[in-house]
Amino acid sequence: TISVVRYGTSFAFLGLYIVAPAHRGRGYGLRLWRAGLARVAGRTVGLDGVVAQQANYRKSGFVLAYRNVRYQGMGGSATPPDPRIEPLSARAVADVIAYDRPFFPDDRAGFLRAWLAQPQGRGLAIVDRGRLAGYGVARPCRRGWKVGPLFADAPELADALLSGLAAYVPRDAPLFLDVPEPNPAAVALAERRGMSVAFETARMYTGRAPDLPLARLYGVTTFELG
């Protein structure tokens, strides 16, 4: 399998690049790779590459932008609810899409409408002085829960959102947060919660890397879709 999702008119994101172990070494992966990239010729393409494949991605013109680090902890939260937090569903979807726009290289409104409404997911917003100042989503996985995205205008707002989302997760369930390493406040947030490093990827792009507000980006939406 491979997925190469087109966003807007200028960007695409590559993920789900998998060949079953029993069928590796036969050229299937390379054929998938070429077909996927041919579909998005002329666009900037992003991916989160595992360590073992980063050299191969460089051969296709992908350049390292920064590392994303997956932190693992446990669900539950002893922190009292922050009065500024409300269900994300209480905000107009158009407001969430507008807030999200600087965090992604091109339009992903269609993706967000589906992502925010996924079954069993939990979305929270935080409001500061009457305006949306951050939001986050937690979703169940085959094992545990993942938080993504986690965007906020300040570290303490991100902390409050993560605590609110963790409270929704069972205490005995693993909780994962994918943190952009260039944001030291995001790394500190995960470490304060006692989370430990479980995995890492390289965020790589073909063409010019987008200028994203990493200082406000505390959790990647998803390694597979951007």
Side-chain angles (χ1 to χ4, degrees), residues 72 140-146 174 176:
Q72 177 178 343
C141 303
R142 293 174 67 184
R143 174 176 174 264
W145 289 65
K146 288 181 184 174
F176 302 95

Side-chain angles (χ1 to χ4, degrees), residues 18-125:
I18 306 166
V19 177
H23 300 289
R24 292 175 185 170
R26 303 181 186 181
Y28 299 153
L30 183 58
R31 289 162 63 185
L32 282 168
W33 178 263
R34 289 172 174 168
L37 290 181
R39 186 171 181 267
V40 291
R43 293 173 179 248
T44 295
V45 182
L47 59 79
D48 280 306
V50 297
V51 173
Q53 290 296 325
Q54 288 165 21
N56 286 333
Y57 299 149
R58 285 195 291 271
K59 293 177 184 177
S60 294
F62 285 84
V63 177
L64 174 68
Y66 52 87
R67 290 200 316 158
N68 286 316
V69 181
R70 174 164 294 168
Y71 280 86
Q72 177 178 343
M74 299 301 291
S77 176
T79 305
D82 191 302
R84 297 170 296 178
I85 287 182
E86 60 185 37
L88 193 58
S89 58
R91 312 298 298 183
V93 174
D95 291 343
V96 179
I97 290 172
Y99 182 84
D100 182 271
R101 185 64 190 86
F103 295 94
F104 204 74
D106 209 324
D107 175 44
R108 64 171 183 173
F111 165 83
L112 276 182
R113 291 180 190 279
W115 191 257
L116 301 179
Q118 59 186 298
Q120 299 181 311
R122 173 72 167 178
L124 295 177

